[in-house]
Amino acid sequence: MPVIAGVRLATAEAGIRYKNRTDVLLAVMDKGTAVAGVFTKSKCPSAPVEWCRAKLKGGKARALVVNSGNANAFTGKTGRSSTALTAKIAAKAVGCSESEIFLASTGVIGEPLDATKFDGVLGRLAETAEPGDYLAAAKAIMTTDTFPKVATATVRLGKAKVTINGMAKGAGMIAPDMATMLSFVFTDAPIAPAALQALLKSGVEDTFNAVTIDGDTSTSDTLLAFATGAAAEHGAPKISRASDPRLKAFVKAFNQVLANLAEQVARDGEGARKLVEITVEGAKTKASARRIAMSIANSPLVKTAIAGEDANWGRVVMAVGKAGEPADRDKLSISFNGIRVAKSGARDPDYDEAQVSEAMKAPEIAIKVSLGLGKGRDRVMTCDLTKEYVAINGDYRS
């Protein structure tokens, strides 16, 4: 992961919940850094989500504080007091206004977060923060994740090369709705807050919003983007509109970073052994294709069949039929990893059980559904559902 001018990172063990592992991240940004964000649509959002929504209107950020182990969600007045205290401590450590502090928390819901544990820790992190270790930063925000998730891209903007770095965490309670579990993207491109917000809102639609692990949208979904503008010193033009034609290559690279992170989240689903791509084509509209694809992706019967390496197209048919979208049983075709198993509403005449069973052993499974009704097409990512998922979530709090 390359360095991004204007961003410094540091991590520490604050003892929020875990022992002998980092659980707090501080990212310090230079003055003038633009910020954009999208958040969960849950009607029970966490206290940090509410804090960030309120501060986003200012458009500027100097620091990001993220903790793992405690989501600070469903914590009432105590939760709001914790966010206020955390922001106060961070602002003092960085030397900025509390309105320029952004917060995110992940972990157990319903447990009070003791923000006094940040006192002293954030001051030390502000002094030691360096422009560098994104992998360590990604590790500090993990909960049930099995690996840190990072992605990067470099692209030309005007006369300068600009960099985009991203990190994410998430493995369970994943069905993003306008955001993701926790994800943070940094760039040195000089992009105004309104333009960055438009890019982010558009970018999540076919990336993070096209991922599901268990169909459960988190109370804490937060995706923040920060643009330091440091590349302006090297010839990058200042961008004020998302429609600026000079942004074309940047937008493509930005969305690639989001897509990379989203796929890593799907690959790391709790207890998962297989990454699953579901493509629906021939739908009436793209929106219809998305809803059908999500119906398939969120079906426990489909996901357990994949875990058992069973190409059970009957379960796919079930998920298509229950989606509530236009579908014609007798036009339906289904394939697994490029092998067609059903055609025109019945089993494919060339179906070979041995061939399909062998294909289902692969670590990546592609399910394609053709509806034959129109030109609507969409793609979503998910994973299989295993006994390990139940084990992880059966005793998550203990």
Side-chain angles (χ1 to χ4, degrees):
M1 296 288 287
V3 166
I4 288 185
V7 180
R8 296 180 294 122
L9 306 169
T11 63
E13 296 179 23
I16 302 298
R17 177 177 173 83
Y18 307 116
K19 294 181 180 180
N20 302 317
R21 57 154 286 186
T22 55
D23 58 4
V24 60
L25 160 67
L26 175 66
V28 182
M29 278 79 71
D30 284 355
K31 290 182 180 179
T33 295
V35 61
V38 286
F39 308 93
T40 182
K41 285 186 177 179
S42 169
K43 299 302 182 183
C44 300
S46 69
V49 165
E50 291 184 322
W51 174 275
C52 288
R53 279 177 175 156
K55 305 310 175 189
L56 200 63
K57 298 172 185 177
K60 298 296 181 182
R62 287 295 314 282
L64 166 70
V65 181
V66 189
N67 74 269
S68 58
N70 187 313
N72 195 11
F74 201 64
T75 47
K77 293 181 180 179
T78 300
R80 291 189 286 275
S81 296
S82 292
T83 57
L85 179 56
T86 304
K88 182 178 181 180
I89 294 170
K92 181 180 179 181
V94 174
C96 68
S97 166
E98 292 170 26
S99 64
E100 296 176 297
I101 303 294
F102 287 79
L103 309 172
S105 300
T106 180
V108 173
I109 294 172
E111 297 287 339
L113 173 62
D114 182 4
T116 62
K117 292 187 176 182
F118 295 124
D119 202 7
V121 173
L122 294 181
R124 186 173 73 252
L125 293 182
E127 294 176 356
T128 59
E130 295 182 351
D133 202 341
Y134 285 85
L135 209 57
K139 286 180 180 178
I141 66 175
M142 288 168 44
T143 51
T144 57
D145 305 63
T146 64
F147 61 86
K149 301 165 181 66
V150 294
T152 186
T154 302
V155 66
R156 293 202 72 85
L157 181 59
K159 297 179 180 180
K161 280 188 177 181
V162 297
T163 302
I164 306 162
N165 284 355
M167 69 181 82
K169 67 78 51 185
M173 200 183 289
I174 307 299
D177 194 355
M178 282 312 297
T180 180
M181 304 51 61
L182 293 185
S183 187
F184 311 105
V185 180
F186 304 87
T187 181
D188 53 355
I191 302 177
L196 189 62
Q197 182 67 38
L199 293 182
L200 191 63
K201 186 174 180 180
S202 173
V204 296
E205 282 306 315
D206 289 327
T207 57
F208 283 118
N209 279 358
V211 169
T212 180
I213 287 176
D214 45 28
D216 289 330
T217 296
S218 171
T219 59
S220 306
D221 286 351
T222 298
L223 171 51
L224 294 169
F226 303 94
T228 68
E233 298 179 4
H234 304 287
K238 295 182 179 180
I239 304 295
S240 59
R241 296 178 296 108
S243 59
D244 192 316
R246 294 173 294 181
L247 268 183
K248 186 176 181 179
F250 178 89
V251 170
K252 183 178 180 180
F254 184 79
N255 290 345
Q256 284 175 342
V257 169
L258 297 183
N260 188 321
L261 292 171
E263 181 175 312
Q264 289 184 58
V265 168
R267 190 181 296 276
D268 195 29
E270 289 173 339
R273 292 193 294 266
K274 295 180 186 293
L275 177 68
V276 184
E277 177 187 65
I278 298 170
T279 302
V280 174
E281 63 181 20
K284 287 283 189 178
T285 62
K286 175 181 169 67
S288 181
R290 169 66 63 88
R291 284 189 282 269
I292 292 171
M294 279 294 187
S295 179
I296 298 168
N298 283 323
S299 166
L301 290 176
V302 172
K303 293 159 75 71
T304 50
I306 294 169
E309 300 180 342
D310 177 13
N312 191 333
W313 66 86
R315 294 181 175 182
V316 176
V317 173
M318 172 278 299
V320 172
K322 75 169 186 175
E325 293 297 316
D328 185 333
R329 177 198 61 203
D330 297 331
K331 292 182 178 180
L332 198 62
S333 295
I334 301 167
S335 66
F336 288 85
N337 276 6
I339 303 171
R340 194 170 60 193
V341 296
K343 177 185 178 184
S344 302
R347 187 174 72 175
D348 193 289
D350 297 325
Y351 177 77
D352 183 330
E353 180 75 29
Q355 181 189 27
V356 178
S357 294
E358 185 62 30
M360 293 300 291
K361 294 178 181 178
E364 298 185 4
I365 303 296
I367 299 176
K368 185 176 181 180
V369 175
S370 299
L371 299 174
L373 299 178
K375 296 182 180 180
R377 184 182 187 279
D378 208 350
R379 160 189 172 274
V380 303
M381 304 295 293
T382 188
C383 60
D384 57 346
L385 180 60
T386 67
K387 294 177 181 177
E388 286 76 16
Y389 178 89
V390 177
I392 290 168
N393 286 283
D395 61 0
Y396 181 69
R397 286 203 312 138
S398 54

